[in-house]
């Protein structure tokens, strides 16, 4: 069986694109001066996916980091009024994390920054090329989800 990328060219292109996306997103975030690091941004986006406030352990598992890393991120976001710790209604030993109103506002700004970064990255592509790229990315993402299950 032959490998699909014997020279590693695709792997290198993907890594370069990933670094470019991260740099551009970071610049767009800094331009909006939200006072949120990329890691904190990821935590805010993750929080938004929960129907009810999650435990820190839930966040650590979803983010695939150690619980201590979540504690540090939550501490910073709580200091800036983006999240708050709330008691679990059924177990007083458990603390849950919820977005504040300012956190929701910041999340909206983060989404706008990500959209503008994506537009910058995709600007050289024609509409048909964007559609093809979207389909290819869906295939890769769907495969990654299937492998986790």
């Amino acid at each position: 069986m032959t490998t699909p990328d014997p020279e590693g060219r695709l792997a290198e292109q993907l890594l370069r694109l990933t670094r470019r996306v991260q740099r551009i997103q970071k610049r767009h975030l800094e331009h909006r001066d939200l006072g949120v690091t990329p890691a904190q941004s990821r935590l805010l986006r993750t929080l938004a996916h929960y129907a009810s406030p999650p435990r820190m352990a839930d966040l650590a598992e979803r983010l695939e980091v150690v619980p201590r890393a979540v504690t540090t991120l939550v501490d910073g976001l709580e200091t800036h009024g983006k999240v708050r710790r709330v008691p679990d209604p059924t177990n007083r030993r458990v603390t849950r994390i919820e977005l504040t109103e300012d956190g929701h506002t910041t999340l909206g700004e983060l989404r706008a920054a990500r959209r503008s970064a994506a537009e910058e990255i995709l600007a050289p592509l024609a509409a048909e090329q964007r559609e093809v790229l979207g389909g290819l990315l869906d295939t890769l993402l769907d495969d990654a989800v299937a492998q986790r299950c």
Side-chain angles (χ1 to χ4, degrees):
M1 181 173 180
T2 62
T3 57
D5 186 17
E7 314 301 311
R9 183 170 181 259
L10 283 174
E12 183 60 31
Q13 287 175 309
L14 283 171
L15 290 173
R16 285 177 46 216
L17 178 61
T18 300
R19 286 191 298 265
R20 182 168 184 250
V21 167
Q22 288 172 340
R23 277 192 316 272
I24 290 171
Q25 284 186 347
K26 184 178 179 186
R27 182 170 36 83
H28 280 260
L29 285 174
E30 288 170 351
H31 177 72
R32 290 175 183 267
D33 196 26
L34 299 173
V36 175
T37 67
Q40 290 172 332
S41 166
R42 185 170 174 233
L43 187 133
L44 288 173
R45 290 190 323 270
T46 301
L47 264 174
H49 290 285
Y50 284 92
S52 61
R55 299 173 306 136
M56 291 230 250
D58 299 329
L59 289 169
E61 184 178 328
R62 172 86 58 93
L63 294 169
E64 298 178 341
V65 298
V66 296
R68 176 70 190 123
V70 172
T71 301
T72 301
L73 292 172
V74 168
D75 287 347
L77 289 167
E78 188 175 38
T79 298
H80 290 96
K82 312 289 185 202
V83 301
R84 69 177 145 254
R85 288 173 165 91
V86 294
D88 182 291
T90 61
N91 184 344
R92 65 184 179 151
R93 293 174 294 165
V94 174
T95 300
R96 296 189 173 269
I97 309 303
E98 70 179 8
L99 285 168
T100 63
E101 190 61 41
D102 189 32
H104 283 286
T105 301
T106 300
L107 192 55
E109 287 289 322
L110 289 169
R111 287 179 178 137
R114 289 170 59 98
R115 278 192 303 274
S116 63
E119 279 303 313
E120 180 179 334
I121 292 162
L122 297 172
L125 300 179
E128 307 82 44
Q129 292 173 310
R130 289 180 185 211
E131 197 169 318
V132 169
L133 177 61
L136 293 170
L137 291 172
D138 281 343
T139 299
L140 294 174
L141 293 170
D142 290 347
D143 188 52
V145 169
Q147 288 181 13
R148 270 192 259 147
C149 297

